[in-house]
Amino acid sequence: MIYLDHAATTAPRREVLEAMWPWLTHEFGNASSHHERGQRAARALDDARERVAAVLGARPGEIIFTSGGTEADNLAVKGIALARRERQPGRNRVLISAIEHDAVLESARSLAQFDGFTAAELPVDGSGFVSPGILRAFLTDDASRPGALPSAGALPRHPKTAGAGEPVVANASGTAGSDSVAMASVMLANNEVGTVQNMSALAEVAAEFGVPLHTDAVQAAGTLPLRVTDLGVSALTLAGHKIGTPQGVGLLWVKRGTPLRSLMSGGGHERGRRSGTSNVAGAVGLATALELAERERKEYTARVAALRDRLIDGILGAMPGTLLTGPDPRKTVNLQETGVAANATAKGTHVTDPDSADIAAGASAATATAAASASASAGLNGNTRLATNASFCFPGVNGETVLVDLENQGVLVSSGSACATGSSEPSHVLTAMGVPAEVATTSVRFSLGRETTENDIDTAIRATAQIIAELRS
């Protein structure tokens, strides 16, 4: 089998398992126990925290170990929003990008449904970029700007069933402007289409208005720099199983001074921010995996990016009418920020690409989104797309059928987020980017990893071309 679904999960690395092994066997002490075995576990936990902090350029006390990326996202979005409102009751609004992972989307939806917040989506352009200008518009008092916060309304349906152009989250009435915003969240790298945001530019805008900015960096680990001082954010999420740990461990970094309410009641572990018996083995494994990923990052990224481009060239060349979704890494991007509103038509809090009819007809992504791709890409040093990601739409075929047929030929891929597997609805990421629903349902994501070879890529291209040709005949 050729495994091209590394965005869903990766194989545990041997070095990581070896580092974890003592803490899974004879060194099984509880890090909260005061006897010697417990204190050895506590020292291992402290050491893991220091090692993680060193990679991120952070303070050890800012690291909170969690059960994974989903818990960390929940703690960031809900914990920061609730804590800030406690200090300043008028801050009852959260902003998230329209292409967030469900962990962030559903956290914002929960705040709107159960905690009296208003939540709004930041629209994206045809390549999935959030413009710093759009973030600024949502943080000003000008409620007439494109994509402005809805004033009121019942909670919309779950994002997997939300209609086109319908805001994923919006509830209660709210006053636009930075004084009402508790926090914002924009993912560093998208899990479905690989878009890499200009996070430092977004963070500058958020800081100007005094709004904490969280970023879900789960997909970025191992291919992008993660120094939090360079990113400029207030909180960052990681998940170990994307970089070679077993599933079930992650972390949230929260900048010192950022208010955070604990979501779990208990013994006050993690300095009172996340109660629950510490997963010492998981923390040790995550520290080891993160160190390895950072040590190998530049060489690995260069190699896998070349394989990604080989895949993109092969798929687009062999299958006319195929749409590359997300930024095209082979093309030079105009680094001048133009903003989403200048290149697309806002509908509510979503954006519809003006050339969506061309997309439906199978036009190339480069043609359909050339103008929109200019926004929010400055300062990325060419990293506009994850080195490991290549995603396509094949108009006229069913994406799930392609997945099944590829697996029958020994190639494992996905249609997008593994967390949305089984849903018959089009991807909210693609529809937010202006891809028509009927085209979005034809999506297939290839995500590469350390074991991927040129032969794997060539085999995947041949198998996909054969399947698409048969389905279209």
Side-chain angles (χ1 to χ4, degrees):
M1 283 285 186
I2 296 173
Y3 185 73
L4 295 177
D5 195 21
H6 289 85
T9 197
T10 60
R13 297 188 62 165
R14 182 180 182 86
E15 305 96 319
V16 171
L17 296 177
E18 289 177 346
M20 295 175 65
W21 186 246
W23 310 102
L24 292 169
T25 53
H26 58 282
E27 292 289 1
F28 57 83
N30 187 322
S32 296
S33 297
H34 294 293
H35 50 64
E36 178 56 27
R37 176 163 285 171
Q39 290 309 292
R40 287 199 300 270
R43 288 192 291 271
L45 188 65
D46 289 342
D47 179 67
R49 204 183 308 276
E50 291 174 1
R51 292 161 61 195
V52 167
V55 173
L56 299 182
R59 298 178 176 90
E62 297 171 328
I63 306 298
I64 305 169
F65 289 113
T66 69
S67 63
T70 292
E71 184 192 342
D73 280 342
N74 272 258
L75 180 56
V77 176
K78 297 176 184 176
I80 294 175
L82 291 167
R84 293 207 80 207
R85 190 176 64 177
E86 287 174 358
R87 295 188 179 188
Q88 297 173 276
R91 292 192 179 273
N92 61 354
R93 187 174 173 222
V94 295
L95 304 177
I96 61 172
S97 86
I99 60 170
E100 292 299 308
H101 187 277
D102 275 352
V104 170
L105 285 172
E106 288 300 295
S107 292
R109 182 175 185 266
S110 176
L111 287 171
Q113 185 172 11
F114 300 112
D115 295 293
F117 280 80
T118 296
E121 292 178 356
L122 301 168
V124 298
D125 69 12
S127 293
F129 291 114
V130 177
S131 161
I134 284 292
L135 177 58
R136 181 179 296 277
F138 271 68
L139 291 173
T140 66
D141 294 324
D142 186 357
S144 67
R145 292 177 183 267
L149 178 70
S151 60
L155 187 73
R157 292 169 289 168
H158 187 280
K160 292 186 178 66
T161 60
E166 180 182 353
V168 173
V169 283
N171 189 33
S173 60
T175 301
S178 61
D179 290 345
S180 68
V181 178
M183 62 87 64
S185 184
V186 179
M187 67 195 319
L188 179 55
N190 185 262
N191 53 307
E192 293 190 33
V193 299
T195 304
V196 177
Q197 301 293 341
N198 185 1
M199 195 55 59
S200 61
L202 294 169
E204 285 182 11
V205 175
E208 179 184 339
F209 288 91
V211 172
L213 177 64
H214 162 254
T215 190
D216 179 336
V218 166
Q219 291 293 332
T223 58
L224 295 175
L226 294 177
R227 302 283 292 186
V228 293
T229 50
D230 294 335
L231 293 172
V233 294
S234 298
L236 177 144
T237 293
L238 292 176
H241 72 107
K242 308 296 186 179
I243 52 173
T245 77
Q247 297 159 18
V249 62
L251 67 84
L252 174 65
W253 166 80
V254 181
K255 185 178 180 179
R256 186 168 66 177
T258 303
L260 183 74
R261 181 203 276 189
S262 174
L263 303 182
M264 299 182 67
S265 301
H269 305 75
E270 296 293 308
R271 299 191 177 189
R273 299 168 299 186
R274 193 268 184 187
S275 291
T277 302
S278 300
N279 179 0
V280 178
V284 170
L286 180 52
T288 303
L290 197 57
E291 288 176 334
L292 289 169
E294 180 58 23
R295 187 182 311 152
E296 302 166 357
R297 176 172 56 81
K298 291 183 179 179
E299 181 179 351
Y300 167 64
T301 301
R303 182 184 73 82
V304 77
L307 294 176
R308 173 204 62 194
D309 292 350
R310 184 187 188 100
L311 177 61
I312 292 173
D313 286 336
I315 293 289
L316 296 182
M319 287 153 272
T322 297
L323 169 67
L324 174 68
T325 55
D328 190 334
R330 307 164 304 162
K331 298 184 180 296
T332 301
V333 176
N334 181 359
L335 296 183
Q336 178 184 2
E337 181 195 343
T338 59
V340 175
N343 301 306
T345 303
K347 289 186 177 180
T349 56
H350 285 263
V351 166
T352 301
D353 193 299
D355 296 321
S356 59
D358 292 335
I359 296 177
S364 71
T367 300
T369 64
S373 296
S375 67
S377 55
L380 297 179
N381 298 319
N383 293 320
T384 57
R385 187 184 191 113
L386 283 173
T388 52
N389 176 286
S391 55
F392 308 90
C393 284
F394 300 97
V397 303
N398 181 281
E400 292 295 330
T401 301
V402 176
L403 302 189
V404 173
D405 289 350
L406 278 172
E407 183 172 0
N408 290 337
Q409 294 201 30
V411 181
L412 301 179
V413 296
S414 73
S415 59
S417 174
C419 299
T421 298
S423 171
S424 60
E425 297 297 321
S427 160
H428 72 274
V429 172
L430 295 179
T431 54
M433 291 165 53
V435 178
E438 64 273 17
V439 177
T441 57
T442 73
S443 66
V444 176
R445 179 189 68 184
F446 299 78
S447 49
L448 288 55
R450 298 184 180 281
E451 302 82 16
T452 307
T453 65
E454 286 189 358
N455 184 62
D456 292 340
I457 296 300
D458 293 342
T459 300
I461 293 170
R462 289 194 298 270
T464 306
Q466 175 187 340
I467 291 166
I468 297 299
E470 291 175 353
L471 292 174
R472 286 177 172 169
S473 62

